[in-house]
Amino acid sequence: MHSLHDLNDILNALIDFMNNLSILEQSKLDAVLDKNIERLDECMRKQQAQILRLRGLDQKREKIQRELGFQNMTLRQIIYTVNNNSILPMEQFIALDRATKTFYDLNDTTKKAIELNLHLMDKSNMSHLQDGTVFRNNTI
Amino acid sequence: MRATFSGFTTAQMALSSSQNSLHVTGQNIANINTEGYTRQQADQISLNTTTPDQRFNIGYGSMTTKISQIRDPYLDIRFRNEVASLGKADLVCDVLNELENVFDEIAKSGLQDQLSEVLTTLQDYSLNPNNQAFQEMVKGSADSLTKLINQYAKEVSAVRTETNDSLFEVDIPNVNLLLEKIGALNYSIEQAELLGSSPLELYDERNMYLDELASYIPIEVKTIETTLQPGITVGRVQVNLLQDGVDSYGNSNDILIINGYISGSFQGSIDEFGETDIQYTAAVGETRVDTAVSELNTLIENLESANYNIAIYNLKVQAETDDASISSLNVEKASWEAVRDGILKQIDAMFAINYATDERGVVTELSFIEEKAPEAQYDDNGDFDGYSSATSTLYTIPLTDISNITTNQTMPTASQPFSVDETGTIYVQTLNALYPISNNATTLQLDFESGSFAGSLQMLNEYGDGTTFKGIGFYEEQLNTFALMLAEVFNGINNAGVPESPYSTDYTADNYNPDYDPNTDTPYNLFTFSNPPNDDWFFGQQVLEDNPLYDYTIDPNYEEFDEEGNPVETFNEGAAIQYLVNQGIVNDTHYAGITSDTMDFSTITFADLTGYSIDDYVYNVPEQIWVEAEPPSNFASMLQVSTGWNNDEWGIVNSITGGASGANDNILNMINALNSSHTFESYAPEYLDSISSPDDPQITEGDMIRSFEGSFHEFFANTSSVLGLDINNNKQVLNNHTVLVNEIENSKSSVSGVNLDEEGMNLIKYQQAYNAAARLMTTLDEALDKIINSMGLVGR
């Protein structure tokens, strides 16, 4: 049977996880800005592995919540319900929220940078197509 | 047959085209350092004609059709979106940095040091409890502590004032100026385009202003092809302020702030709760008002053409969207009669009108949505039997074959019933008089998702708790909490064991000062406030108050009778509804688009509400409700050493155990209180949000959550640490946006900027083309010379 301490441990693990994911996302952004496809590819591979880990952590969290009778409750609701700062400190929740927001912000920036690069590549391709193609009205 | 000399024309046009391209290249090179300049190019076409009897066609050279700019609209849109996010992050970072200057205790000695000083003096005093000089030292350091807290509070307050002033005095006027400049440029551009020219430099200037505008507010720029005269079309620029969501008709909530050369203005204000708001007021005579009027007139004319008799009574019209093309209009308390083919269609309730148009803009279909409010029902005995449910019925009247209808019937209104005067007031002409139906009530409350306006409002209005954004209010509240806790803890300790009579010697912990109030200057308080806070001291706190509606709310069946047996009206429905509106329980949608500003609550009844069942409310009105407390006083700036202690009317109560004259247990209590943990409380966000509906679970006073548990030192250190983390986070956000904006800007420059290498290459290219064209002319000349001067000379 799990206890609130286990939930706290999961919270800590999630904070660490999100911080690591943000570091990886920053590398991804740098790779995109440097237009380094190999590095970007490597980051994506690492991230896919991380996401599998997140799934595992999330399942564990859901299981603990279920056992503690907090099913379908948000972490914030749980903290208010527990109302015990020493076992489940509000600061932890804030830290997790902060780490998640940082990741999402980075992710958003990376996404926009990728879209921008794709657009420029598209434009470049179009322009090469126009420059490099000779249109004739008859065949030789 | 091609003309003999046509080749010269070809060569001349080639020379001219190359020369134009050389001029444009020169212009690009000359403007390499001009801010906002967009690279230009000469657009050329090949001239050719098709003649059916020819086996093949040879062209007649080339021609420069226009000088165009090289821009990528995708990058413009991306840049403006991103620069808005950057503007917001930049402003938030600036304000947080200002706050950091206040709370920074590394570079300067501050509150933490002063707390330590109080601790030291208390320790000294505990060793010499009978020596008044040591108590004076405690008093002196306590006085310095309160003054330091005052200073911190004033500095945080100064950050708020500066942020507000910067918004009101600098940013908003700047944006208004930009709107005017863009409007003026649009006018100049339209005039130039009317004359057939391409004012490229004006486009550049406008783009610069639009980019600058985007750093303040989130915008969307559209170009609408507008026909100014038959055959002359210009691209009229419209700028929308992006807003969340859609209205009840599914139209975007975006607000048109620039329509061609017409623009409105922004104003800032501070509401009764101390929140900063920004409103937008549309310009007088703005096209959207004009459009609304003109489309209404068209509607009436078309209806008239379709053999409808229309009578309009007590009409109030308000545009539902801010788009220039009004697609729907709301009519409040209108009574319309539409007669066609002898059938009277009367709609006498609040309803919305929609109409569909064909591709020519002719109204083809009119639909009325009739919404009937719940009505009281009575049984056979005449007793109240509850309310009917609200109904909504759609009536659609197709207006077919309008073009074939020639017979106009007389309308009871003028044929052009709607007009607008120079103040923007809309009038309707009825049979009897000219009635104003709406003044220029186009001041709109706004939400900003991005841009520096959004950053300012976030910092000024959000107090933060838990995971919500922590604006200036959060730090004000932290200081207030600190000051109040300090007063409560020390006043509590000093009042514990104080005898009812100051002359009594019965010092016991149970004998608490009966007059004790931690916030006032009563004996034996050590700290007090120059303007004592009341119970509503929490920032943004919701407090329980008697529900004024409760007095009104009775069973509608219940009736009181006067002496003569006549029913006495005990239920003021208008007042009750106004109260519900003020509380946000009943909103504008219940009035079919009429805002609470224009509602006359003295006449309204529950029956006028649409789509809203009052039953739930009438029978379930709570006796007390949560309402927002008065804006908090910045009482951290008011903390002071109590007057009584300052004037030596009372002092530190050394002991509450009634020990010997050298006893110091209460001083030790104070020392302990400085070092030990306290619960610094605040309310959960749910508690603060619990006002919205009586159905929401109410959180009571007991549901205060601790925002922090620790010593005074730790509380303050935590506040600084939260600020530090916020700064760190926002710097990262700012950095990300800056990187992206730079990236887009570089991309823009690579497309639209002048590249000397490229222009140098162009110079050579066009020069060679020019030389080749000149050579062509020489060649043709030589050929003709041969024909004219060297042919047919044999035998001469």
Side-chain angles (χ1 to χ4, degrees), chain A residues 5-57:
Chain A
H5 291 286
D6 296 318
L7 195 58
N8 193 30
D9 290 345
I10 279 284
L11 219 59
N12 283 328
L14 278 170
I15 293 166
D16 286 345
F17 175 83
M18 291 313 295
N19 286 334
N20 288 334
L21 206 59
S22 291
I23 293 168
L24 195 58
E25 194 65 27
Q26 184 68 54
S27 312
K28 206 168 116 188
L29 175 61
D30 293 342
V32 173
L33 295 175
D34 292 345
K35 298 175 176 55
N36 188 329
I37 295 281
E38 286 79 19
R39 245 170 62 211
L40 177 64
D41 206 32
E42 190 189 326
C43 291
M44 301 276 264
R45 269 205 308 274
K46 282 184 184 169
Q47 216 167 40
Q48 275 166 1
Q50 292 271 34
I51 284 165
L52 288 176
R53 214 188 128 220
L54 175 66
R55 207 164 289 161
L57 277 172

Side-chain angles (χ1 to χ4, degrees), chain B residues 608-674:
Chain B
D608 295 321
L609 294 176
T610 57
Y612 177 74
S613 170
I614 62 164
D615 293 4
D616 295 341
Y617 204 82
V618 166
Y619 297 114
N620 295 301
V621 175
E623 193 172 348
Q624 284 195 310
I625 52 161
W626 295 99
V627 296
E628 189 155 355
E630 288 296 305
S633 308
N634 190 8
F635 53 84
S637 65
M638 299 169 194
L639 183 71
Q640 61 186 23
V641 166
S642 68
T643 320
W645 189 23
N646 208 24
N647 297 339
D648 294 329
E649 290 167 28
W650 61 80
I652 294 176
V653 177
N654 294 354
S655 172
I656 56 170
T657 57
S661 64
N664 63 356
D665 54 278
N666 213 26
I667 305 173
L668 294 177
N669 285 342
M670 288 181 189
I671 292 169
N672 188 40
L674 267 181

Side-chain angles (χ1 to χ4, degrees), chain A residues 33 35 76 80 98 115 119, chain B residues 72 78 467 726 729 739:
Chain A
L33 295 175
K35 298 175 176 55
R76 180 196 283 266
Y80 289 150
R98 204 188 290 272
E115 280 171 5
H119 171 77
Chain B
D72 183 344
R78 266 291 149 96
T467 55
D726 273 353
N729 262 23
V739 164

Side-chain angles (χ1 to χ4, degrees), chain B residues 78-99:
Chain B
R78 266 291 149 96
F79 181 79
R80 284 170 193 149
N81 287 346
E82 207 50 41
V83 89
S85 302
L86 177 67
K88 180 179 172 183
D90 195 26
L91 195 127
V92 168
C93 262
D94 278 353
V95 179
L96 286 175
N97 284 336
E98 295 275 326
L99 288 168

Side-chain angles (χ1 to χ4, degrees), chain A residues 2-10 64 68 70 78 82 84 87-88:
Chain A
H2 289 98
S3 68
L4 279 174
H5 291 286
D6 296 318
L7 195 58
N8 193 30
D9 290 345
I10 279 284
I64 295 171
L68 294 174
F70 296 141
I78 295 170
V82 173
N84 186 334
I87 300 178
L88 214 54

Side-chain angles (χ1 to χ4, degrees), chain B residues 422-433:
Chain B
E422 67 279 1
T423 66
T425 304
I426 302 176
Y427 293 88
V428 60
Q429 178 71 59
T430 70
L431 281 178
N432 303 319

